[in-house]
Amino acid sequence: MDVTINGERRQVAPGTTVTEVVRSLTRAERGVAVALNDEVVPRAEWARTAVAADDRVDVLTAVQGG
Amino acid sequence: MSLPPLVEPAAELTVDEVRRYSRHLIIPDVGMDGQKRLKNAKVLVVGAGGLGSPALLYLAAAGVGTLGIIDFDVVDESNLQRQVIHGQSDLGKPKAESARESVEEINPYVKVILHKERLESDNALEIFAGYDLILDGTDNFATRYLVNDAAVLLNKPYVWGSIYRFDGQVSVFWNEYGPNYRDLYPEPPPPGMVPSCAEGGVLGVLCAAVGSVMVNEAIKLITGIGETLVGRLMIYDALEMTWRTVKVRKDPEGEPITELIDYESFCGTVSEEAQEAASGSTITARELKEKMDNGEDFHLVDVREKNEYEIVSIPGSVLIPKGEFLSGEAFAKLPQDKQVILHCKSGGRSAEALAALKSAGFSDAVHVGGGVLAWVANIDPSLPTY
């Protein structure tokens, strides 16, 4: 199925979880937030939250600058 | 989220203040009541740097009665590209003092309180206690988690902004009404994973965009108008020129914050692997110069990024960015029969690359403590720094 990850259309297997999406993008899960359809998914729910067709997933990285 | 005003109104505005704030007073949503609340407000700005500069200038102009400034640093030339509260004549001056002078010039009715110290676990609660609202414009993860936890423990709201290159993120964290920073980012990225502005750069004007949103939120919180960013994260992309907001909610399984901790160790500024690799395998810039002068045969590798290499480099060094050490790509480019010496800007990244290099079997490799900055300071002060 197709989903949009960080603005790009990508194919993922049905049942793919937020955790799996993050792992496909970065080695580090620390310092990362994930918005699923414009709503941040709390870390504890990543593993049990599956993405659905046409979902929009944004993987955000914490930045420290000020 | 719409919230009650954070601050009670001051008894009155003087005639001078009415004249000064007239463009606020004639906005129905602000009016006399809102301006009196601003006058009574005590706002602490953590960091008089990129975000602190526009934030302090606009908070002062808006008539916030008491402004606290906490910064232990001094004004450096490389700050002036974005830290507009400081100027050429402020070079070398404590940022807190330089910021106070600008604030007083903009609005003499503002009372300024200076905290010329580093915000630490042992002073944060005492300092925060004197303020209604905090603005976080610091430049490192350790202080950001400290600000968050102290604000949660004191049940105070704070406006959070962070920037990197062309990207900005802003939110309002107030544990009583919504999520806090740890609900968004439970822990910082691994050390060395996300560069600071000093390492990765930042577009100067980005500070104005993000800093002005921070002040906008501060004014709304103080006066109780509008929909605040409590429960929302705002994301700015200056290249695409988009502002987006995403909802943030409390993590039901998040660890409760019960006390302040050791934030340097929580954020691990340098990873344990890097510390271990660097221990006993660090040479000084002077030792590197001696090796050169003695004609020793070694391979000097600069692990910074190309842009940084173009600004200044140590003679004879070749560029292989740190990422190639972490991915393993770098090893094939290195000689097996010579000692490899790594360096970066100040010694952090080269220690990480050294850890990867040593585990790949380059056991006699070393890195230069203090990096190219130490080279410029001790060997060739004619070179530029950044």
Side-chain angles (χ1 to χ4, degrees):
Chain A
M1 63 184 188
D2 277 357
V3 293
T4 304
I5 299 176
N6 283 0
E8 286 178 21
R9 291 296 278 181
R10 289 229 328 237
Q11 276 219 323
V12 300
T16 298
T17 63
V18 166
T19 307
E20 286 160 346
V21 171
V22 171
R23 288 200 183 136
S24 74
L25 292 179
T26 172
R27 291 179 295 121
E29 289 174 27
R30 288 167 50 108
V32 170
V34 179
L36 179 60
N37 300 323
D38 293 334
E39 191 156 338
V40 171
V41 182
R43 175 67 49 91
E45 296 172 16
W46 283 12
R48 56 175 182 260
T49 304
V51 299
D54 295 323
D55 271 355
R56 173 181 171 145
V57 188
D58 289 287
V59 179
L60 311 166
T61 306
V63 293
Q64 57 188 327
Chain B
M1 183 184 280
S2 185
L3 296 166
L6 185 61
V7 180
E8 290 301 310
E12 57 175 9
L13 296 184
T14 64
V15 173
D16 290 337
E17 287 170 334
V18 169
R19 270 201 310 275
R20 172 177 287 260
Y21 304 125
S22 63
R23 298 300 185 275
H24 273 170
L25 299 177
I26 56 181
I27 306 175
D29 289 336
V30 181
M32 194 58 95
D33 181 74
Q35 196 65 46
K36 284 178 181 172
R37 292 184 195 276
L38 289 169
K39 179 176 178 175
N40 230 6
K42 297 185 175 75
V43 176
L44 175 68
V45 176
V46 185
L51 294 174
S53 288
L56 283 162
L57 293 173
Y58 276 104
L59 288 168
V64 168
T66 304
L67 275 178
I69 305 171
I70 178 158
D71 203 306
F72 65 93
D73 206 0
V74 296
V75 181
D76 179 81
E77 236 176 326
S78 68
N79 301 147
L80 300 182
Q81 155 262 19
R82 65 194 180 287
Q83 300 182 14
V84 294
I85 203 165
H86 314 297
Q88 184 70 23
S89 62
D90 298 317
L91 291 177
K93 200 183 277 182
K95 284 188 182 177
E97 280 174 24
S98 163
R100 172 172 59 190
E101 287 166 17
S102 299
V103 164
E104 286 173 347
E105 176 62 19
I106 284 177
N107 190 344
Y109 306 128
V110 176
K111 181 184 167 198
V112 179
I113 301 170
L114 294 192
H115 305 274
K116 283 191 281 184
E117 57 207 304
R118 195 187 280 267
L119 192 69
E120 306 270 13
S121 295
D122 59 9
N123 62 13
L125 294 174
E126 196 185 330
I127 293 173
F128 282 19
Y131 296 91
D132 303 303
L133 176 67
I134 295 112
L135 265 68
D136 177 9
T138 54
D139 61 359
N140 64 86
F141 285 119
T143 311
R144 290 187 176 281
Y145 281 93
L146 167 59
V147 169
N148 180 72
D149 293 0
V152 169
L153 290 174
L154 293 169
N155 201 16
K156 287 182 190 286
Y158 78 101
V159 186
W160 168 89
S162 68
I163 51 173
Y164 177 67
R165 290 190 175 158
F166 297 97
D167 297 322
Q169 298 180 12
V170 201
S171 191
V172 174
F173 295 119
W174 195 353
N175 208 46
E176 186 176 342
Y177 293 100
N180 69 68
Y181 184 44
R182 286 175 184 268
D183 294 310
L184 177 63
Y185 295 116
E187 70 277 296
M193 182 90 180
V194 176
S196 65
C197 290
E199 288 166 9
V202 60
L203 189 72
V205 72
L206 180 68
C207 302
V210 173
S212 73
V213 172
M214 293 173 75
V215 174
N216 192 74
E217 292 307 293
I219 290 171
K220 282 157 59 186
L221 286 162
I222 292 164
T223 58
I225 61 174
E227 296 290 321
T228 67
L229 281 177
V230 168
R232 286 188 295 159
L233 169 70
M234 197 157 190
I235 305 159
Y236 177 54
D237 181 334
L239 281 182
E240 296 289 326
M241 195 41 80
T242 54
W243 286 99
R244 293 180 45 217
T245 53
V246 295
K247 282 188 196 156
V248 186
R249 57 193 163 92
K250 272 190 196 290
D251 185 342
E253 290 166 48
E255 291 280 318
I257 296 159
T258 54
E259 58 176 353
L260 299 181
I261 56 172
D262 178 345
Y263 293 90
E264 289 296 335
S265 104
F266 174 63
C267 296
T269 345
V270 178
S271 69
E272 277 174 36
E273 293 81 8
Q275 280 176 27
E276 202 172 297
S279 150
S281 297
T282 302
I283 61 169
T284 64
R286 285 187 205 284
E287 285 167 339
L288 174 64
K289 181 70 165 57
E290 280 164 25
K291 280 174 172 287
M292 288 177 176
D293 293 345
N294 295 339
E296 286 182 37
D297 195 16
F298 58 86
H299 192 67
L300 181 63
V301 181
D302 187 334
V303 306
R304 298 173 300 156
E305 301 300 317
K306 186 163 168 283
N307 295 356
E308 299 180 87
Y309 188 76
E310 284 168 2
I311 297 170
V312 59
S313 64
I314 299 180
S317 64
V318 296
L319 179 71
I320 308 179
K322 182 193 83 180
E324 296 190 29
F325 284 84
L326 303 188
S327 70
E329 261 174 278
F331 307 137
K333 300 179 183 174
L334 298 172
Q336 299 283 347
D337 55 343
K338 282 187 207 180
Q339 185 187 27
V340 175
I341 302 179
L342 307 180
H343 85 83
C344 63
K345 182 181 182 185
S346 58
R349 280 174 281 173
S350 56
E352 287 172 49
L354 186 65
L357 192 57
K358 281 185 178 283
S359 39
F362 291 78
S363 54
D364 66 341
V366 295
H367 84 134
V368 182
V372 70
L373 293 184
W375 179 269
V376 175
N378 297 302
I379 309 297
D380 188 356
S382 73
L383 295 173
T385 57
Y386 64 102

